[in-house]
Amino acid sequence: MELLQTQGEHGPCLDAVAAGTPVEVPDLSAPESHRRWPDFTDVATTLGYRAVLAIPMLLDGHPIGGLNVLYPAVREFTDYDRRLPAVLAASAVMALVRDDAAHRRAKLTERTLGLIHDRMHVDHAVGLTAGTLRITPAAARTLLEHHARTHHTPLRALAQHITTGSLTPADLTGADTRDTGTGGTGTT
């Protein structure tokens, strides 16, 4: 339901986030609900939901996300119905911001270094593949990407196999790269 709202760019949760206030829909089959969010209400009711309460997740009074609570029956919302998801939304925001700035910077640095390391392996694997198979770097990258995709392997993992030698560039094509004395590559 979240993905549908995000992709369709409409739904109670997006309205709650935009307004910074809860959106209550006690009956998803009501004409007003269908007129306001036709795709959302069609899918929600098909899946068996009849009501929704959308709560914005607020940080310093500003919405940073939202939380949907879907109900299997039409309902009039009570104070309890409103308070429980508000507490859940506030707890989620607290979990998101509980780290201090130094810890967030350290996490960001760690992720950045990890991405640079992965990129280095991919670039190294491209160079090894291009040199071994005597093809252009662009062709080597295409070959690596194709192999990763067809073997359902992340590109960074395939690159690590190439750079550590557990997989050779020839394994990507099945080609025998021994020099045949003709200046090209032999095939098996």
Side-chain angles (χ1 to χ4, degrees):
M1 296 308 307
E2 296 292 339
L3 186 59
L4 175 66
Q5 290 182 85
T6 303
Q7 289 177 340
E9 297 182 358
H10 75 274
C13 195
L14 294 180
D15 287 0
V17 171
T21 58
V23 173
E24 296 181 11
V25 186
D27 184 358
L28 284 169
S29 62
E32 178 187 329
S33 299
H34 191 268
R35 199 170 36 256
R36 195 167 172 188
W37 312 291
D39 295 335
F40 177 83
T41 55
D42 286 346
V43 173
T45 55
T46 299
L47 293 173
Y49 299 113
R50 299 296 175 253
V52 63
L53 180 57
I55 304 291
M57 296 168 58
L58 303 173
L59 177 62
D60 297 330
H62 302 284
I64 61 167
L67 172 74
N68 278 326
V69 181
L70 297 152
Y71 298 90
V74 172
R75 70 188 294 130
E76 288 303 319
F77 295 104
T78 66
D79 285 339
Y80 179 79
D81 290 333
R82 294 177 189 99
R83 281 194 313 261
L84 181 60
V87 168
L88 291 173
S91 297
V93 170
M94 286 175 27
L96 291 172
V97 298
R98 70 181 167 155
D99 295 332
D100 63 10
H103 192 247
R104 283 193 301 270
R105 279 193 304 274
K107 279 184 174 177
L108 180 60
T109 300
E110 182 180 328
R111 288 181 187 153
T112 302
L113 290 175
L115 291 171
I116 291 170
H117 185 258
D118 290 347
R119 176 66 188 260
M120 179 194 68
H121 272 291
V122 170
D123 289 346
H124 189 187
V126 166
L128 284 171
T129 302
T132 302
L133 299 179
R134 298 181 185 156
I135 58 178
T136 67
R141 178 172 287 279
T142 299
L143 181 62
L144 286 162
E145 290 170 349
H146 174 74
H147 187 84
R149 190 173 42 256
T150 58
H151 290 86
H152 307 289
T153 303
L155 182 59
R156 69 179 182 278
L158 175 61
Q160 287 178 345
H161 287 299
I162 294 290
T163 60
T164 61
S166 61
L167 190 67
T168 68
D171 295 330
L172 301 176
T173 63
D176 179 356
T177 58
R178 292 174 292 189
D179 192 342
T180 61
T182 61
T185 58
T187 58
T188 54

